[in-house]
Amino acid sequence: MRSGSISFKISLPLIGILVLFAASTLFAVIQANHQQNLNSQLNDKVQPTVDSMADAYRDLYQVMVAGTGIALAKTEQEIEHHKFEFEDNAYKAIPRMKAVQLLIDDGILPPQTQQELKALTDATQRWIELYEPMFFQPSTAAQYFSEHQVEFTQEFTTIRKQLKEISNRIDEDQMSLRQQVTDSIEFVKVVVEVAVVLAVIAGAFTIWVAKRFVIQPIKDIESAMADIAQGDGDLSQRLEVNSNDEIGSLAKSFNLFISKIHTTVEEVIVASNAVRSEMENIKSLTQNIAIFSANQQQESELVATAVHEMQVTSSTVSDNANEAAGASGNASHESTQASGILDHAVESIQTLSAISITPAR
């Protein structure tokens, strides 16, 4: 594909549009995957951990309630109920707290959270172990609770502090992830909007290129051809070649074609003028021949008249000759008759003479 060709000029913005859409689509896919990852972290890791920490905190309160209840229990039924509540909640708290480890391993929470988590689980373990004697020996629970109430409070304060710090850190990361999701969505919207605007600009540029370098030159060629077809075209005019693309080549070829036609027409005009001049000469000769022929016809008519007169004269002479020949024949016949008569007369005379000379006996 030549750099100056029509296909290159049109393909370039189209390729730009395709690249733009491909890039925006790829970016949108990447951002969608990123959003999916963020949502996965939020929904599959962070939120379950938040719920697990909330359940652990509730378990601690249930342990506190069970400890206070067993210290105040009067009946065996109450003791069994509080023992069940203790066992059902106390030993679930630490595993629920350790759900934070998943966020630490995935890098969602910073590494220093590991120490805070260990401090929390250690404090919780001590606090639970501090409550256990009350449930192992319910009869001394009230006295034990009274003697260790300060320790219960101190350990719980430590647990609550560590739990609060970790929960706050998780909440911050949760808010950060949600903000990242929101920012990613907004960024994708901006990218898509910019891509659409650029695509519209590229499309408008493509239309302009098509009109400027394709449609308008073709219209010029069409107009020139129409002028020539209608007989009003000036064969000395040429199309302006403004590019080296296919349209420019077409314009050059058109100009070459018109130039050859122009040359041919000029040669035809010269030949026509020569033929016209020869035709004038032929016409003049023809006129002279016609005049000569007319004169010859007149002379021929005179000759014919003379010949006719000669024929009449010849006929007269012939008639006269025939009459003379007839007269001559008659004269010859009469001469023959006269000669016979004369001969007969001579014979008669001779006879008579003879008779006269002979003597009588």
Side-chain angles (χ1 to χ4, degrees), residues 165-176:
E165 290 178 357
I166 294 175
S167 297
N168 289 338
R169 195 181 298 277
I170 294 174
D171 290 340
E172 290 175 359
D173 290 339
Q174 188 179 32
M175 292 179 62
S176 176

Side-chain angles (χ1 to χ4, degrees), residues 274-286:
V275 171
R276 184 180 294 109
S277 177
E278 293 297 329
M279 289 299 294
E280 291 293 333
N281 293 332
I282 293 173
K283 181 180 180 181
S284 177
L285 291 174
T286 302

Side-chain angles (χ1 to χ4, degrees), residues 317-338:
V317 171
S318 178
D319 291 339
N320 292 332
N322 289 330
E323 291 178 357
S328 176
N330 292 327
S332 177
H333 179 67
E334 292 177 355
S335 176
T336 301
Q337 289 179 353

